[in-house]
Amino acid sequence: PSHDTLLFDYTLGNRTTTYSFLNSGELSLSPKVIARSMFLFHGQLFRDQNISRTYNSLLNLHNFKYINVDFTPTGGADSDTNWLDAHIKFIPSTRQKLSLSLKVNKSSPYGSLQTGLNSGNFGLETILSYQNKNLFGGAELLSIEGSFLIEMPKLFLSDRENSSVSAFESGLNATLDLPTLLLPFYHDFFWQRLKPHTVIGAGI
C-alpha cells in the first residue's frame, strides 16, 4: 500500500530532531503529541533505558494497541562512528467505543437496618458508556456514562414497615482527560518527566 510521508521538526531544549512519519492513511494523532513522547533524538548516544521510556510514554497516550521499536545500522564501513536509525511501528487502537451493560444487584439499606438481614432488594441497572480516545487529535480522552437503576419492593416482607419501597436512580457522568497541564508556563519537559494530566469532570 502507498504511504504518505510527513517530516516534523521537534525542538526540546537545545536539541532539534526531524521525525519522519510514514502512514497509510490520515495521521489522526498530532505529530507534536507523538514527538514529545519520544526519548530518541538525533545524535544521541544509544541507551536501553531511552527505548523503555519511549515505549512507556507512547503507551501512556492510550491510542496504540501495538508499539515496536527497531533499529537499523547505517553509515559506511570507513566511518569511525556506528550510527543507528530508529524505526517505531504503531498500530492504532479503536478511537471510539460504545458499550451497553446490564447488572443485577442486591443492595438496599432496608435489609440491614430494618430487618437485620443482609439481603436487599433485587434490582436491574443499565449502563450506557461512550469513549473517545482522541477527541481533538491530541490524545484527549472523553468518557460519558449514563445509568438507570430500578429496585423492586420486597413483597415477601410486606408486613414490615417500608417494605414496599422501590428505588429509582439515574445518572449521567462525563470526564475529559487532557494529557497536559492547563498552565501558561507549561513546557514539554513536564510531560516527558512527569506525564501530567488535567481531568475535567461533571455529573448529575
Side-chain angles (χ1 to χ4, degrees):
S2 61
H3 291 81
D4 295 328
T5 302
L6 171 66
L7 300 180
F8 182 79
D9 294 331
Y10 182 74
T11 301
L12 186 67
N14 59 357
R15 186 196 302 264
T16 298
T17 301
T18 300
Y19 295 101
S20 301
F21 291 88
L22 279 70
N23 51 294
S24 57
E26 182 182 357
L27 188 62
S28 59
L29 196 60
S30 167
K32 181 179 179 180
V33 173
I34 298 177
R36 74 176 186 183
S37 301
M38 298 290 186
F39 289 84
L40 302 173
F41 308 103
H42 176 72
Q44 180 187 50
L45 186 66
F46 177 86
R47 291 186 176 92
D48 283 336
Q49 64 177 3
N50 290 332
I51 303 175
S52 299
R53 294 171 71 183
T54 297
Y55 178 84
N56 292 331
S57 187
L58 291 170
L59 201 63
N60 188 266
L61 298 176
H62 306 294
N63 270 258
F64 305 109
K65 63 180 179 182
Y66 174 82
I67 302 171
N68 181 61
V69 183
D70 195 12
F71 292 90
T72 302
T74 61
D78 298 334
S79 175
D80 294 332
T81 303
N82 295 320
W83 293 93
L84 296 173
D85 280 348
H87 302 272
I88 304 177
K89 299 179 181 179
F90 307 111
I91 295 180
S93 61
T94 303
R95 180 171 180 173
Q96 301 184 73
K97 182 174 68 174
L98 184 66
S99 61
L100 177 66
S101 61
L102 298 176
K103 296 181 179 180
V104 177
N105 62 32
K106 192 178 182 182
S107 60
S108 173
Y110 298 106
S112 58
L113 296 180
Q114 298 283 341
T115 66
L117 301 175
N118 291 326
S119 60
N121 293 1
F122 279 100
L124 181 65
E125 182 178 15
T126 304
I127 301 175
L128 180 64
S129 302
Y130 168 78
Q131 190 176 76
N132 190 319
K133 297 181 180 180
N134 189 26
L135 184 64
F136 304 118
E140 301 89 355
L141 176 60
L142 173 67
S143 299
I144 301 176
E145 182 178 280
S147 63
F148 180 78
L149 167 68
I150 178 172
E151 284 187 347
M152 303 304 296
K154 294 183 187 176
L155 298 179
F156 63 93
L157 293 175
S158 59
D159 59 326
R160 296 185 181 273
E161 184 181 1
N162 293 326
S163 62
S164 60
V165 173
S166 294
F168 298 90
E169 180 180 318
S170 61
L172 180 64
N173 295 280
T175 59
L176 179 61
D177 187 342
L178 307 173
T180 185
L181 283 181
L182 299 182
L183 297 174
F185 53 84
Y186 175 75
H187 195 278
D188 285 349
F189 276 118
F190 285 99
W191 169 256
Q192 286 214 336
R193 302 302 177 185
L194 303 176
K195 305 295 183 295
H197 285 250
T198 300
V199 179
I200 303 171
I204 185 172

